[in-house]
């Protein structure tokens, strides 16, 4: 069976940085450790004045096309996943294609373009669409370009302000990919929820605590649904488990839940029983509240065991390397978690080819999806090309007053002029608005 999956990946971070412990926490009168330890975040990325979801997506896609020696004719599909769109009709993919056409001979006139929306899970859904399109044999030998791009801004003063971020991930989906092949098996957990939404407004209405509960509930359902087709999963099955990462603290909660689920009725649970007892079973409790309390206590105990810590350090912690420096990228977030894990494996000199990743995506509203990915022979060469560390280091470090101006500059309801903090070079930039209020762009040499 032909393998289909991610052949290449490129990451573009917004070029500004807000240091959460040094700059944000003191202004809010909060302990910096709430951010570094509680949420697990050091900094958020923000777009410079000349950046937006189109420039970040186009710049990531351009770098990817240059590196892979691709021409527009090689791409038969461009899907953009975003929850920061500025137009209810014209998809961001047309803007990105327009940017790319300005620097290439040829065009994307015969490529199918769209925009995917389901909060943060839309990036993974776009991967699905590309996978299905190729598997259906409709691609005529061409590849699909998937771009997940977001500027995750919250209203100032909202608790979500601590978990902002901006950046794009471009992925090339092909047959016989170099990086990872996607499993046919996948599982969903999906329900009508009101945890985070933007009813025709730029900044989200968010019930943060509820969104965390919904994330965990839907993720568990997705894992169970995945297991119904792939068979029971075990912690040893996966080299890494990249989760959707709105902030690393959320993943810490998801990881212990997943571990508890995967070790149930295995020798690991038996070994741990001497130390922390067997997992509570609902049938042993008189009412649901008592059962839930017992589960909470058991999870706390499980999270402190050496067995769990060892698994977490190996399979989860490496997935957070990029996220903790850039914040929430919404649709791109699970894709930078995968990239971070593979990057860490390359740095550690691991031979990962043939090993499996368990990928857990989530979007508020709400839906989780779980699938597996098999690492391919060309993974290391591909990952070695990433320059995300340099991009992270090169960001301009904002003062709090500058951050407020940047937030206003990207507020669609405000019209704020702002000087660039960084000088654009070899990249697409936002130049203003045209006669029909469309956004305009150009490539700066
Ligand atoms: N040292 C160490 N940890 C600290 C701390 C300190 N000084 N102060 C607080 N913390 C911990 C808290 O205990 C909490 O951890 P816990 O959840 O494990 O208990 C964590 O830091 C966050 O603190 P909290 O007071 O809960 O933060 P908050 O009320 O400001 O809100 C969110 C946090 C995530 C709810 C908020 O940022 C939000 O709404 N984000 C957007 C929604 C989102 O991303 N949802 C995720 C699902 S997609």
């Amino acid at each position: 069976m032909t393998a289909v999956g991610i052949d290449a990946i490129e990451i573009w971070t917004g070029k500004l940085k807000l240091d959460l412990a040094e700059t944000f926490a003191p202004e809010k009168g909060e302990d910096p450790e709430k951010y570094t330890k509680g949420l697990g975040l050091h900094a958020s990325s923000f777009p410079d004045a000349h950046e937006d979801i189109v420039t970040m997506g186009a710049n990531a896609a351009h770098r990817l096309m240059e590196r892979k020696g691709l021409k527009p004719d090689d791409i038969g599909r461009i899907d953009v996943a975003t929850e920061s769109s500025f137009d209810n009709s014209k998809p961001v993919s047309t803007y990105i294609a327009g940017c790319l056409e300005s620097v290439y001979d040829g065009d994307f006139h015969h490529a199918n373009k769209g925009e995917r929306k389901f909060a943060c899970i839309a990036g993974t859904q776009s991967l699905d669409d590309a996978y299905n399109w190729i598997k259906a044999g409709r691609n005529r030998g061409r590849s699909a370009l998937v771009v997940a791009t977001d500027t995750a801004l919250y209203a100032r003063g909202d608790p979500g302000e601590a978990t902002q971020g901006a950046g794009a991930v471009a992925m090339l989906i092909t047959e016989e990919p170099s990086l990872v092949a996607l499993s046919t098996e996948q599982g969903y957990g999906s329900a009508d929820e009101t945890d985070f939404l933007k009813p025709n407004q730029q900044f989200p209405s968010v019930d943060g605590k509820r969104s965390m509960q919904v994330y965990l509930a839907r993720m568990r359902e997705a894992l169970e649904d995945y297991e119904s087709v792939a068979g029971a999963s075990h912690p040893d099955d996966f080299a890494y488990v990249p989760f959707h990462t709105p902030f690393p603290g959320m993943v810490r909660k998801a990881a212990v839940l997943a571990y508890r689920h995967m070790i149930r009725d295995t020798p690991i649970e038996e070994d741990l029983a001497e130390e922390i007892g067997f997992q509570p079973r609902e049938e042993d409790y008189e009412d649901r509240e008592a059962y839930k309390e017992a589960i909470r206590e058991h999870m706390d105990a499980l999270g402190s065991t050496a067995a769990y810590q060892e698994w977490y350090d190996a399979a989860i912690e490496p997935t957070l390397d990029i996220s903790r420096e850039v914040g929430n990228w919404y649709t791109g977030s699970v894709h930078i978690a995968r990239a971070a894990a593979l990057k860490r494996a390359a740095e550690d000199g691991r031979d990962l080819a043939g090993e499996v990743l368990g990928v857990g995506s989530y979007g508020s509203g709400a839906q989780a999806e779980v699938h597996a990915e098999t690492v391919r022979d060309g993974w290391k060469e591909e990952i070695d090309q990433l320059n995300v560390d340099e991009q992270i280091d090169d960001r301009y470090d904002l003062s709090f007053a500058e951050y407020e101006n940047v937030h206003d500059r990207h507020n669609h309801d405000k019209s704020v002029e702002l000087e660039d903090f960084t000088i654009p070079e070899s990249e697409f930039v936002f130049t203003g608005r045209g006669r029909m209020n469309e956004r305009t762009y150009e490539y700066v040499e």
Side-chain angles (χ1 to χ4, degrees), residues 65-245:
M65 287 182 68
E66 285 295 284
R67 187 158 66 68
K68 300 299 273 190
L70 296 168
K71 297 279 170 281
D73 273 355
D74 300 318
I75 310 284
R77 187 178 176 101
I78 306 177
D79 281 311
V80 171
T82 185
E83 48 187 306
S84 325
S85 197
F86 46 77
D87 193 311
N88 285 326
S89 178
K90 184 175 154 61
V92 170
S93 50
T94 59
Y95 283 99
I96 290 182
C99 286
L100 295 170
E101 283 171 349
S102 72
V103 295
Y104 284 108
D105 291 334
D107 56 54
F108 297 98
H109 288 193
H110 301 294
N112 189 5
K113 306 180 191 96
E115 189 173 302
R116 250 296 188 170
K117 180 181 73 181
F118 194 149
C120 304
I121 202 174
T124 298
Q125 290 184 317
S126 299
L127 279 189
D128 259 9
D129 293 340
Y131 175 95
N132 294 336
W133 173 71
I134 293 173
K135 281 280 179 184
R138 294 178 128 182
N139 59 319
R140 295 185 246 148
R142 297 174 299 169
S143 307
L145 183 61
V146 167
V147 180
T149 180
D150 270 300
T151 296
L153 291 184
Y154 291 77
R156 294 230 289 280
D158 187 289
E161 199 183 2
T163 61
Q164 301 180 107
V169 181
M171 293 171 277
L172 189 73
I173 316 307
T174 66
E175 292 172 54
E176 302 304 341
S178 299
L179 194 61
V180 292
L182 272 57
S183 64
T184 312
E185 297 81 11
Q186 58 180 172
Y188 296 105
S190 190
D192 177 9
E193 297 277 7
T194 309
D195 57 333
F196 172 115
L197 54 159
K198 297 183 182 179
N200 288 327
Q201 63 197 44
Q202 184 188 4
F203 302 135
S205 300
V206 55
D207 182 342
K209 303 286 179 202
R210 172 99 190 109
S211 74
M212 294 169 72
Q213 289 165 354
V214 176
Y215 177 123
L216 297 175
R218 302 288 84 79
M219 194 65 79
R220 195 183 62 179
E221 288 168 3
L223 180 56
E224 284 169 352
D225 193 42
Y226 169 75
E227 290 180 326
S228 75
V229 281
S233 41
H234 186 278
D236 294 347
D237 292 347
F238 306 115
Y240 297 103
V241 184
F243 279 106
H244 167 55
T245 312

Side-chain angles (χ1 to χ4, degrees), residues 30-31 33-34 37-39 154 158-163 196 206-209 211-212 215 244 246-247 250 252-253 328 362 364:
E30 284 178 317
D31 182 352
E33 294 204 338
K34 169 179 169 181
K37 295 220 165 104
L39 295 170
Y154 291 77
D158 187 289
E161 199 183 2
T163 61
F196 172 115
V206 55
D207 182 342
K209 303 286 179 202
S211 74
M212 294 169 72
Y215 177 123
H244 167 55
F247 54 94
M250 182 70 239
R252 277 203 301 268
K253 294 181 201 298
N328 191 357
Y362 172 75
S364 288

Side-chain angles (χ1 to χ4, degrees), residues 337-356:
R338 176 201 296 104
L342 296 175
K343 202 164 127 333
R344 180 79 81 87
E347 285 158 9
D348 290 350
R350 269 184 82 167
D351 179 10
L352 215 57
E355 294 213 44
V356 177

